[in-house]
Amino acid sequence: MFSRYSLLPVLIPVATLFLAGGVAHAAPSNAQWQAINVQLTRDHILPRYQTLARNSTELAAATDMLCQQPEQLAAAQTAFHNTMDAWQGIQHVQFGPVEFLMRNFSMQFWPDKKNLTSKQLNELLSQEAAANLTPEYFRGASIAVKGLPALERLLFSDKYQTPYGCQLTAAIASNVATMSREIAEEWESQQLPRIDAAPDGEDYYEDSTEAATELMKALVEPVEVVRDLKLLRPLHKGANKAKPRRAESWRSERSLRNIQLNLAALAELYRGNGSTSVKELLTAEGEAALAYQIDTHFQQLDNQLSSIDKTLYLAVKDPADHATLKQVSDQMKILHRQLEEAMQKLNIQLGFNSRDGD
């Protein structure tokens, strides 16, 4: 009978060969993550917040002009679309300065299941109080009336286009511009230094991997959020039972565009600048096939959404388009699962998902 110790000389070489065959890889180093963190912060996050600040400032100016020249409504609506484009392009980043004072919810309180925005807007309009148009008021106002959904109702509904309604529109637009500017400035002055200092482990982050974990949450979790809230809610149980008014931004007819912009932003976050990216890091870790599959899914989703030639409001009620959007939903589920797998391969522990149990 063999002693259990007599097997060790045989098992050790076998184990060595098993590991050398690519089954096990060392986790990416802090230096590798730091390169990605800096690249994504400087080239992805900061420019997008700066675009939001610039576009929202132009929106505030356009709504001011609207109150003087009502014929400028189309220009104000265009400025709203530009601002919403910018917001949708950075909405996936739900950490850092955007969390301070609940700015993320103040920018966009949605989904609004109890229609609080319309109810509270109607109350403000009925009061016609000058005190409700001041920056001081909006610092303590309900999140339902201080951001983009409130502006959408005011700019895309005839019943709100009154003299006081225009003044309220301008006041809310000014509040959005202020929040956007402050977020952009604080990312540059506060959050960027925290990212830069992550390798020292003496500031906000313990190390670069901890900082990377927040960025990777911004890559993975929004896929599920967009699928569940922006797509499945209006799709509901079928074309004949669709709920188009559950769609985000249906009044301004940009629900589908929002989803496309969300996914395009996530694709850029994944692809980075090519040589320094999550995609390349995954490939370097021996997961080239998975890296390619994720990249391909982003492209397929963009192609599928681009093939729909009507608004989401109409598409969810059309049997053929409903079927296409259901395929998009299925593809997003696969993409989310693959991104979670990628995080496991990269030894990133995403931890608690705030949407768990919703």
Side-chain angles (χ1 to χ4, degrees), residues 163-190:
Y164 185 82
C166 192
Q167 293 172 8
L168 183 59
T169 302
I172 296 173
S174 177
N175 183 64
V176 168
T178 297
M179 287 192 295
S180 300
R181 182 181 65 254
E182 289 173 347
I183 294 168
E185 290 173 350
E186 289 168 23
W187 255 95
E188 188 162 14
S189 65
Q190 298 176 21

Side-chain angles (χ1 to χ4, degrees), residues 58-59 61-82 150-162 165-167 169-170 251-252:
E58 292 172 357
L59 172 60
T63 54
D64 276 338
M65 181 64 70
L66 176 62
C67 293
Q68 302 169 37
Q69 302 176 22
E71 67 274 14
Q72 295 296 318
L73 177 60
Q77 290 174 334
T78 297
F80 170 84
H81 282 300
N82 292 340
L151 281 174
E152 183 190 27
R153 284 166 172 79
L154 291 163
L155 287 169
F156 293 87
S157 175
D158 292 340
K159 71 175 183 177
Y160 293 132
Q161 289 164 21
T162 64
C166 192
Q167 293 172 8
T169 302
R251 294 172 178 83
S252 53

Side-chain angles (χ1 to χ4, degrees), residues 12 14 18 23 28 30 41 66 106-107 116 125 135 212 221 223 232 249 264 270 284 293 330 333 345 352:
I12 290 174
V14 170
F18 184 71
V23 175
N30 271 308
T41 301
L66 176 62
S106 295
M107 287 290 293
L116 294 178
L125 290 166
E221 292 181 359
V223 176
L232 288 181
S249 305
Y270 172 69
Q293 289 169 359
D330 294 340
K333 185 175 183 178
K345 302 293 185 183
F352 174 72

Side-chain angles (χ1 to χ4, degrees), residues 3 8 19 80 89 104 122 191-192 245 274 301:
S3 163
L8 287 176
L19 293 173
F80 170 84
N104 45 357
N122 287 335
Q191 199 69 21
L192 177 57
R245 292 197 176 195
L301 285 166

